[in-house]
Amino acid sequence: MWLPWGINVKHLYLAFFSIVSIALCSFTMIIYNQYRTVEELNAYTIRQYEAIRQTRLILLDLVDMETGVRGYVISADPKFLETYAKVSGQVRAELFGLRNATYNDGAFFAETNVWLDRIEDLQKLLNTQVTAVQAHGRGAVAVADLEVQRQRMDTLRELMDKSVKARLVDLEKHIKDVDSQKANFIYILIIGSILGIGIVLAGTVTIIKLESENETIEDENRKAEARFRMVMNGINDGLYELNFITETFFASKEFKAMLGYDDHELDLTPDGVIAMIHPDDVAQMLEIRRQYIMRQTPLYNNIFRMRHRDGTWRWVMSRGVGVWDKFGQIRTLIGTHTDITEQKQREEEFKQLHADMEAFTYITSHDMRSPLVNLKGFSHELSLAVDELQQILEPARGKLGDKTWERLNTVLKLDIPEALGFIGNAVDRMDTLTTAILDLSRIGKYVYREEVVSSRAILDKCLGAQSYEIAAKEVEVVIGTMPDLITDPLALEQIFSNLLDNAVKYLQPNRPGHIEISAQETARDYVFSIRDNGRGIEPEDSQKVFHIFRRARNTGDVRGLGLGMAFVKATLRKMSGAIWFESNVGVGTTFHFSLPKKISPAASNDTAETRALAS
């Protein structure tokens, strides 16, 4: 059955189901909120009644205490102390019970603090009077002291009665609110029931109309399920679960098949899995796993080699998710093993190709300098020869004639020197370009020495080198919080230096310069940002920025070869980093570059020593 405008029954069913779901969810939430409101009001009412009851109970006990002591003081009859002894021991417990029950009520909790202080004062006074009568007999307590006792009791009674009256007034209001909310709850149920019946009726009619489509839909579902199973069976991933509590290891049949075994042929244990890992990779694999277990790294991604049944070594990428208990101890690690042997082989081939390209670039650039030296030298020799020729021809000027001499003079003094000048400039330009190519080729040969580096100290050093031009252009430089990280200090200095040099060079001459430098820390990287308010880069030139010898079109009045950003990108690529930018013409440009987080060699050595001592 098809509907107009290309909408079929399936689409209608999905739309109707969405509407029904939203309506039911909304109605459920309304009922739930109304129910919670009524429940909260009821609970509040019960709490208030209980607080009033406990308050009155405490007040009655206090009255009994005061009455018992007063009777004992007047008559010295020990029977009066029986009530006092019984009540005085439970008043404090009753008061603390009331405080605990009304802990979330800040105002009432403050009132009970005042009551507690006054009750303690009253008890001390009563204890003093009882002790005096016991020691000196009837008449040991003066009438004035009894009056003080009465006044304190009256004050305490007034405070507690006032609190009870306030709570009764509040209760009347809440009882009215409860009645109103109950009425609303009934109305909502009635209206919701009517709407629900209508929705169900409409849904039933629609479902009856759609039954003819059910078989087709079910068939499509069966086909989709079959395709899903085919995909799952074709994926080269093996599932595993490492249980640290029971010290067991579960591996799926795909996991075992990846290593050349059938499901029943390999019974793995945690130690057995480690025994199958290449000896050179075990230490690094365990360290990466330890860092994840100790939550020093947010993600578990481990790459190592495992022995195949045929004796070869297969590169495996292990990824997983850990489950920790409430004490922070890991319970299980669940994840997948993926065979990345072919990827690793391609990486090795790429590395070899890259090394060959670097060697080719270096040799080509180096060998090109020899003919350039010859060109420059022989151009100079030719210039000297022209001067010598002119001196030789000078005595024969009269014989040659004025016209011939003028022609020779033009050739020797203008045409040949001009041509030699063009050749010299071209040679100098070519020499500069080959030097730049050599510098770029050396990036691949540079041995990076990683250590803990203060990025702020490196940045200050680069700003010091640029201080003259910054001061001359009156540039305002704002620096945010900069992190300490593990990287090569010289490489980081060259990156900062090139980016700062560009930011200063391409500022707008008609407005004050402003440069902001900041850094952010993510789970994996440190991301540095250098923002300027300079000329900006046109979208058409965005692809040129990082290419060698390519420059944007609005930079012609600034000297440069177009090498700085190519050098920065190549350096960051070797450091496993990245660089990108955002720019608006006439507004400014922000360059971002990232460097990965790394663990210091000292920390790794400490971990290895600790593990060795523990074993």
Side-chain angles (χ1 to χ4, degrees):
M1 183 175 68
W2 288 87
L3 297 175
W5 309 294
I7 301 176
N8 57 27
V9 176
K10 180 179 179 181
H11 298 151
L12 180 62
Y13 180 78
L14 292 174
F16 177 77
F17 179 77
S18 300
I19 294 173
V20 171
S21 299
I22 294 172
L24 290 177
C25 290
S26 301
F27 180 63
T28 302
M29 289 300 298
I30 293 172
I31 293 178
Y32 177 74
N33 289 333
Q34 191 68 23
Y35 171 76
R36 286 294 303 273
T37 302
V38 173
E39 284 294 308
E40 289 174 0
L41 289 172
N42 286 335
Y44 180 83
T45 302
I46 293 172
R47 288 197 302 270
Q48 292 294 334
Y49 273 124
E50 181 62 21
I52 292 172
R53 187 189 69 79
Q54 292 186 8
T55 301
R56 292 190 180 277
L57 183 62
I58 292 170
L59 183 58
L60 290 174
D61 289 343
L62 291 174
V63 171
D64 291 342
M65 284 175 54
E66 193 267 344
T67 303
V69 172
R70 180 179 293 274
Y72 178 70
V73 169
I74 295 173
S75 65
D77 187 350
K79 291 183 178 180
F80 287 100
L81 291 182
E82 293 177 359
T83 302
Y84 171 72
K86 177 181 177 182
V87 175
S88 62
Q90 66 187 27
V91 167
R92 187 176 182 86
E94 292 172 349
L95 182 59
F96 275 104
L98 177 61
R99 284 162 57 86
N100 292 333
T102 59
Y103 183 79
N104 294 326
D105 189 341
F108 191 68
F109 190 77
E111 289 180 1
T112 58
N113 284 332
V114 176
W115 299 353
L116 181 62
D117 293 338
R118 294 184 178 273
I119 289 172
E120 288 180 348
D121 291 341
L122 179 61
Q123 284 184 318
K124 289 179 182 178
L125 178 60
L126 296 176
N127 288 334
T128 302
Q129 293 176 351
V130 169
T131 303
V133 173
Q134 289 175 342
H136 304 288
R138 180 181 176 185
V141 178
V143 175
D145 293 334
L146 290 175
E147 181 64 21
V148 171
Q149 171 186 327
R150 184 188 63 79
Q151 291 176 356
R152 290 188 182 181
M153 185 62 208
D154 290 343
T155 301
L156 186 57
R157 182 187 292 111
E158 290 175 1
L159 289 174
M160 299 179 77
D161 286 341
K162 182 178 179 182
S163 175
V164 169
K165 291 178 181 178
R167 287 187 174 275
L168 288 173
V169 172
D170 190 53
L171 268 177
E172 291 180 2
K173 177 183 176 182
H174 277 277
I175 289 172
K176 293 179 180 178
D177 291 339
V178 170
D179 294 338
S180 175
Q181 292 295 335
K182 287 181 178 179
N184 293 338
F185 187 69
I186 294 173
Y187 296 147
I188 290 173
L189 284 177
I190 295 173
I191 296 173
S193 299
I194 295 173
L195 291 176
I197 293 172
I199 291 173
V200 171
L201 181 60
T204 302
V205 173
T206 304
I207 290 172
I208 292 173
K209 291 181 180 180
L210 295 176
E211 281 188 356
S212 60
E213 299 286 335
N214 284 345
E215 291 184 2
T216 304
I217 294 174
E218 289 178 0
D219 184 59
E220 289 295 327
N221 288 338
R222 284 192 293 270
K223 292 179 180 179
E225 184 178 354
R227 289 194 296 268
F228 174 76
R229 291 184 179 275
M230 290 176 62
V231 170
M232 289 300 297
N233 292 332
I235 291 178
N236 192 26
D237 283 0
L239 302 178
Y240 71 88
E241 179 182 4
L242 174 57
N243 193 310
F244 292 91
I245 304 301
T246 61
E247 296 185 354
T248 56
F249 189 90
F250 165 78
S252 67
K253 64 178 182 179
E254 290 81 7
F255 183 105
K256 300 174 183 178
M258 186 173 60
L259 299 175
Y261 295 92
D262 291 333
D263 191 19
H264 64 279
E265 292 182 323
L266 193 61
D267 187 15
L268 290 173
T269 63
D271 291 337
V273 174
I274 295 176
M276 297 180 69
I277 297 175
H278 196 288
D280 295 341
D281 299 341
V282 172
Q284 182 178 2
M285 185 278 292
L286 291 176
E287 174 60 20
I288 293 175
R289 192 174 75 179
R290 185 199 66 81
Q291 292 173 13
Y292 179 72
I293 290 173
M294 301 303 294
R295 298 190 175 183
Q296 295 176 359
T297 55
L299 300 174
Y300 179 69
N301 192 344
N302 215 337
I303 297 177
F304 46 83
R305 288 166 288 180
M306 293 190 73
R307 186 175 61 251
H308 195 271
R309 185 176 187 175
D310 60 10
T312 61
W313 294 100
R314 309 294 293 180
W315 281 99
V316 173
M317 179 171 65
S318 177
R319 291 172 291 187
V321 177
V323 178
W324 288 264
D325 59 22
K326 62 181 180 180
F327 303 105
Q329 299 296 320
I330 191 166
R331 299 183 62 86
T332 59
L333 179 64
I334 304 171
T336 62
H337 273 195
T338 305
D339 190 337
I340 59 170
T341 304
E342 293 184 4
Q343 176 184 336
K344 276 291 185 178
Q345 292 172 350
R346 299 295 180 270
E347 288 179 2
E348 291 299 325
E349 293 173 1
F350 177 77
K351 288 180 181 178
Q352 184 61 43
L353 178 62
H354 184 67
D356 294 342
M357 286 297 296
E358 285 183 343
F360 173 77
T361 302
Y362 179 81
I363 293 171
T364 303
S365 302
H366 186 271
D367 292 347
M368 286 176 64
R369 296 177 65 86
S370 296
L372 290 178
V373 172
N374 289 334
L375 280 173
K376 194 168 186 177
F378 285 112
S379 296
H380 182 66
E381 291 292 334
L382 184 58
S383 177
L384 294 177
V386 169
D387 293 339
E388 185 177 354
L389 178 61
Q390 189 173 6
Q391 293 176 4
I392 293 173
L393 293 175
E394 186 67 31
R397 179 176 181 178
K399 297 179 181 181
L400 295 174
D402 292 340
K403 186 175 181 180
T404 302
W405 179 256
E406 182 178 355
R407 176 59 182 157
L408 285 173
N409 198 40
T410 301
V411 171
L412 295 174
K413 289 188 176 182
L414 295 178
D415 295 344
I416 294 178
E418 183 180 14
L420 291 175
F422 285 135
I423 293 173
N425 290 336
V427 169
D428 291 339
R429 173 71 174 175
M430 194 65 181
D431 183 61
T432 301
L433 295 179
T434 55
T435 301
I437 293 174
L438 281 172
D439 291 338
L440 281 176
S441 68
R442 292 189 183 103
I443 293 177
K445 299 179 179 65
Y446 178 74
V447 179
Y448 292 90
R449 294 174 174 84
E450 295 181 343
E451 59 185 68
V452 179
V453 176
S454 168
S455 60
R456 179 56 189 263
I458 297 292
L459 181 60
D460 289 340
K461 183 178 180 181
C462 296
L463 289 171
Q466 298 271 348
S467 59
Y468 176 78
E469 192 168 1
I470 290 174
K473 292 187 177 183
E474 299 181 352
V475 181
E476 179 188 15
V477 180
V478 178
I479 304 175
T481 303
M482 307 297 289
D484 293 344
L485 69 160
I486 298 168
T487 189
D488 183 280
L490 179 59
L492 183 61
E493 180 181 346
Q494 291 172 334
I495 293 169
F496 272 135
S497 179
N498 277 285
L499 292 175
L500 284 172
D501 181 62
N502 276 5
V504 174
K505 282 196 306 186
Y506 297 119
L507 289 171
Q508 292 278 26
N510 56 353
R511 66 183 178 198
H514 182 81
I515 298 175
E516 294 182 14
I517 305 169
S518 60
Q520 286 185 330
E521 181 179 354
T522 69
R524 294 171 176 260
D525 309 287
Y526 294 102
V527 180
F528 298 88
S529 302
I530 299 179
R531 184 191 307 273
D532 63 60
N533 64 337
R535 307 179 183 193
I537 301 171
E538 295 185 8
E540 295 82 2
D541 295 331
S542 60
Q543 299 299 323
K544 300 179 181 179
V545 173
F546 299 111
H547 289 176
I548 184 172
F549 306 137
R550 302 291 298 276
R551 305 179 69 200
R553 285 171 287 185
N554 61 349
T555 60
D557 58 331
V558 180
R559 296 184 61 185
L561 296 174
L563 291 170
M565 300 311 298
F567 181 87
V568 168
K569 185 174 182 178
T571 302
L572 283 168
R573 184 170 59 246
K574 294 292 292 185
M575 300 169 71
S576 301
I579 184 168
W580 65 97
F581 70 91
E582 304 163 357
S583 184
N584 290 318
V585 177
V587 178
T589 303
T590 303
F591 277 94
H592 308 277
F593 71 91
S594 63
L595 287 171
K597 288 183 177 179
K598 296 183 179 180
I599 300 176
S600 65
S604 298
N605 292 337
D606 291 344
T607 302
E609 292 175 4
T610 302
R611 205 163 45 238
L613 291 174
S615 62

